[in-house]
Structure formats: C-alpha cells, structure tokens
Amino acid sequence: MTSLTAVVAKDLRLAWRNRAAWLSAMAFSTIAVLTYSFAFDLATGDVRPLLPGVLWTTFLFAGVFAAGQSFQEEVDDGTFDALLFSPVGATTIFLGKLTANLIALLIIECSQLVLATILFDVGLLTPELLGIVVIGTVGYVSLTTLLATMGGHVRGRSVLLPVLSLPLLVPLLIGAVRATGASLGLEAGTAPWMLLLLVFAIWSTLAAVLLFPIAAEQ
Amino acid sequence: MSTLLLRVYDWRWSVLPPVTGIAMMAMIVGALVAAPREIIEGEVQRLMYLHVPSAVIMYLAFSVTAFASVMFLWKRDIRWDALARGAAVVGVFLCGMALATGAIWGKPIWGVYWTWDARLTATLVLFLIYSAYLLARSVAGPLDEQAARYTAIFAIIGVADIPIIQMSVRWWRTLHPQPIVFQPTPALPTEMLAVLALGFIAIAALAAWLIVLQTETERAAQRTSALRAEIDHREIA
C-alpha cells in the first residue's frame, strides 16, 4: 500500500511537472468542443441529442492523446526502465500511472462539463452524469494506459495509439453516449447502459492490470 | 503427439491445394447451378453460400490468432507470432469478404449497401481491430520480440472484447436476418444445406491453406532477418 501511494505521488508529481502536456490535452478538448459547436451549429435549437456524442468523442480523443504523453517523458529519460528494476511490482507501477492519468483526465473532463454547461445552457453537473463520466473514464483510461506502454521505439506510435484503442472502445462509447443521453432526458431504450459501462470498466481494468506486467517486461 | 502433428503437417502441400481447389469448384457449381433458386430473394441469395462460411470461419481464424498470441506470451517462441500474424491476415481477408458479400446482398434486399445493424457494426469493428493489429505488428521488424509481445496482448484484448462489442451493438440496434442454419431443425431445404456444407468445407480448406502459406511467409521473413542480423554481426566482428 505504501509503495502504491509512493508511486501515485510520483506520477502525480510527474504529471504536474509535465503539465504542458496535460494543458495541451485540456486545450485540445476545449478546441474540440468549440469545433463541434461550429460544425453542428449547436448554438441554435435543442443541443441535447448531439451533446452526449460531442462530449464523449472529445473525452476519448483527449484521453488517448494524454495517455500517449504519459509514458513518453519517462521512456525518453530512461526512468521507466529504472522503475521496473526497483523492488516495486509492475502492477503497482501500472496502478500508479492509472490513478495519475485518471485524476488528470477527470479534471479535464469536469472543466469541459463546466464549459459545455455555460456554452449550451444545459445542466450537465448532475450527480448522475458525474457518475457516468467517472465510470466511463475508468473504463477507457485503463485500456489506453496499457496500450500507451508501447515502447518509444515503435515508429508512428502517436498515430497507432488511437487506431489501436478506439475500435476496442466502441462498447464504452455506445454505452456512455446512451447513458449520458438518458441522464439528459433523451429516449435511450430499455437496455441497461450503466451496466454495460460498469462491465466494460471492470473488464478493461482487470485485463490491463493482468497484462501490464507482460507488456512492461524488458 | 507432436511427431504425429508434424507428420500431418508434412502433407500440407499434397493435401491442402487439391482439397481447396476441388471444394471451391464444387461450391461454385453447387451455388450457381445445383442449389434451387430462392423464391423471395431470387438469384442474389446464392451469395449466402460464400457469406455465411466466410463469416463463421473468420471467427475461427481470429481464434487461432488469439490462441497463438497466448502461446507466444507463454512459450516466448517467435514462431507462434508468425502463426498469429498469418491467421490474422486470413481473418481480415474473410471478414472483408463477409462484409463485401453482405453489402452486395443488402442492396437489392434491404435497399442499401450498408446499415448500422448490430451484426454489421460488430463485424466492421472486428475488421478494424485486426487491421490495426496487423498495422501495429508490421511497423516493427519480424524478429522484434517487444513489438510481438505488445501485439499479442492487443490480439488477446481484441478477442476478449468481442462479446462486449456484440452485446453493446445488439442493444444499440439490430436488423440482420436471424440464424436459420445453426438451430436444432435448420429452416433450409436439403439441397441448400448440402451446398452450404460444401461452402463451409471449401472456405475452411482455403483458410487453412492461406494460413499455412502466410505463416510460412512470415517464418521466411523471420529467418531472413535473423540471417541479415548475423551477417551484419560478422561483418562488424
């Protein structure tokens, strides 16, 4: 437990020092929301049918973008290899990175929810919606963090990461968009979307935790 | 056990090409001539003899990829990586075939080439996942152990994701014809069932042959790159 807190503290400190990367992820998602609002003309009429899709594609792209950055610094400096030689388990290292990514992404997502609330005049900061955002983020951040461990030597990594992760995240995207729509009062059918989100979050976290030691092995 | 398997594998050149050729011919003749014309859908229904076997055997090919990926992570033998890649190439090819024949059938029957139906969407996502797998594997060299490990992990996650994708898109929307073959009493006339069975044999033989060819090509690439590395090494020494 103490090693986990130490690793989480290290990763949060790294994220803070590397805040240019996270700020660019936040700037990217802000620009994305604005671009969508121009493209779909969200200023007029009822935005609720489009808003869940706009928010979740923004979150996913920002998440993939940020996950790609999260290991880069450490791989470049060689500290990631050093960490693997330390007497801390690979699972702990992964959980530390996961927690730091999760916290940073949740901050970005909440800022986007506030922005969208102001821009589109729709109440987005409800407990239900925040719950959906947290579960959905846990679901995708573990997979993107695992896939981001692809060594720095793989060419075209920044392009490959979204190509690899987005098809795997299709169930999450469908579930999250539907659940968000339902929380905004849209017709979402009878399917238990929250259950799908939960199943996906648990599945992806388990798969990532189990497979990370193999991925990180030198 | 393994010697028996190796002896069976030695027959590949004398068995697989003729079996594939004969079964493909029989399937084409069966589908175009022997099978009766479907009353409602007409001639276009004959695509089913190619479409259904491609879709089913595609899953088998992807299962081979997943199995070989697990074996690679377990045994750390690069030959399993060649098999995983070989099967994935064939799986993506069959997946494309199922999508294409489905689209050609869809235009006259549904009025559109493509619809966002659950099964179509799931198949397309599968196509994207394994295309991404092949893309990611191909950017690294044939002997790159680390890249082989990452893509093996990706292939396993991809296979494990299939049930969740199926469930999510089925909840999303569904329109695809319901299964009529795989049930206790198939709702197809005997002639049609016989031709469909031929189709399964033909596509299975074709897939097996292509997987063997593709895997041996990957193996040859691995050996070439090992030789090249050794030559470089000796030149430096």
Side-chain angles (χ1 to χ4, degrees):
Chain A
M1 199 58 215
T2 43
S3 59
L4 180 63
T5 37
V7 173
V8 171
K10 181 250 346 167
D11 277 315
L12 285 175
R13 203 155 48 231
L14 263 182
W16 175 248
R17 283 184 196 156
N18 193 18
R19 54 188 175 275
W22 290 98
L23 281 176
S24 54
M26 192 184 281
F28 167 79
S29 50
T30 308
I31 297 290
V33 170
L34 288 178
T35 311
Y36 280 126
S37 66
F38 298 135
F40 297 130
D41 199 4
L42 295 180
T44 53
D46 189 6
V47 291
R48 287 178 310 148
L50 287 173
L51 206 50
V54 167
L55 286 175
W56 278 100
T57 39
T58 306
F59 292 169
L60 281 194
F61 283 130
V64 171
F65 179 76
Q69 306 268 329
S70 65
F71 280 99
Q72 198 57 50
E73 198 92 330
E74 281 185 279
V75 171
D76 289 348
D77 294 346
T79 47
F80 187 63
D81 292 343
L83 198 59
L84 289 173
F85 283 121
S86 69
V88 182
T91 313
T92 314
I93 296 173
F94 179 70
L95 287 176
K97 192 56 93 182
L98 185 66
T99 316
N101 278 356
L102 183 67
I103 291 172
L105 275 174
L106 283 175
I107 292 171
I108 291 179
E109 289 172 351
C110 287
S111 73
Q112 296 314 309
L113 288 180
V114 172
L115 179 74
T117 307
I118 296 168
L119 287 180
F120 305 123
D121 193 25
V122 178
L124 291 171
L125 294 165
T126 58
E128 189 190 358
L129 197 72
L130 289 176
I132 295 167
V133 167
V134 171
I135 297 173
T137 309
V138 171
Y140 78 75
V141 83
S142 46
L143 268 192
T144 50
T145 307
L146 173 73
L147 292 174
T149 54
M150 275 197 300
H153 67 282
V154 176
R155 273 179 292 136
R157 201 177 68 106
S158 50
V159 183
L160 267 180
L161 192 57
V163 173
L164 286 170
S165 46
L166 291 175
L168 294 177
L169 296 176
V170 164
L172 175 106
L173 185 63
I174 294 177
V177 166
R178 291 284 154 143
T180 308
S183 84
L184 292 178
L186 294 173
E187 171 61 39
T190 52
W193 298 113
M194 281 303 277
L195 180 70
L196 178 72
L197 271 185
L198 258 179
V199 167
F200 192 91
I202 293 169
W203 168 80
S204 66
T205 311
L206 265 182
V209 166
L210 288 177
L211 291 171
F212 179 78
I214 304 173
E217 211 173 86
Q218 293 298 310
Chain B
M1 181 61 192
S2 61
T3 47
L4 180 73
L5 276 178
L6 277 178
R7 281 182 56 188
V8 171
Y9 190 68
D10 277 341
W11 296 340
R12 64 195 181 281
W13 299 114
S14 48
V15 173
L16 281 175
V19 168
T20 308
I22 294 168
M24 289 297 278
M25 285 298 184
M27 178 190 76
I28 292 167
V29 172
L32 294 181
V33 183
R37 188 174 178 280
E38 217 269 346
I39 299 170
I40 302 167
E41 295 182 5
E43 304 296 351
V44 74
Q45 182 269 339
R46 297 181 193 275
L47 277 172
M48 179 195 75
Y49 305 114
L50 193 58
H51 176 79
V52 176
S54 299
V56 172
I57 303 226
M58 158 196 93
Y59 281 105
L60 287 182
F62 289 145
S63 312
V64 171
T65 300
F67 173 73
S69 299
V70 171
M71 290 304 285
F72 172 72
L73 291 181
W74 184 25
K75 301 279 185 195
R76 294 303 159 91
D77 184 341
I78 199 80
R79 284 179 294 181
W80 286 110
D81 175 59
L83 176 61
R85 277 178 94 173
V89 170
V90 176
V92 167
F93 165 72
L94 289 176
C95 195
M97 179 102 93
L99 287 172
T101 49
I104 297 167
W105 175 88
K107 185 65 183 169
I109 303 299
W110 286 342
V112 284
Y113 285 113
W114 182 262
T115 166
W116 290 99
D117 161 71
R119 223 183 265 213
L120 278 72
T121 313
T123 312
L124 181 65
V125 174
L126 210 55
F127 185 80
L128 292 178
I129 288 178
Y130 282 93
S131 304
Y133 164 85
L134 290 174
L135 193 70
R137 186 65 191 87
S138 65
V139 295
L143 285 178
D144 191 330
E145 204 265 345
Q146 204 172 20
R149 218 165 54 214
Y150 287 127
T151 46
I153 289 172
F154 180 75
I156 294 167
I157 295 181
V159 162
D161 206 13
I162 292 175
I164 306 181
I165 294 174
Q166 302 269 9
M167 184 170 75
S168 66
V169 293
R170 192 167 309 138
W171 286 351
W172 193 42
R173 49 187 68 155
T174 194
L175 184 70
H176 191 279
Q178 292 309 305
I180 52 171
V181 183
F182 297 106
Q183 50 186 21
T185 46
L188 269 188
T190 323
E191 299 98 315
M192 285 186 172
L193 263 184
V195 177
L196 189 62
L198 260 179
F200 270 102
I201 295 169
I203 300 292
L206 178 73
W209 189 32
L210 288 180
I211 289 175
V212 166
L213 282 179
Q214 192 63 37
T215 306
E216 298 206 344
T217 313
E218 301 292 349
R219 277 296 294 149
Q222 288 176 352
R223 277 196 292 262
T224 319
S225 106
L227 277 175
R228 198 171 289 146
E230 202 181 321
I231 292 169
D232 288 350
H233 184 72
R234 287 194 186 181
E235 274 177 357
I236 292 166

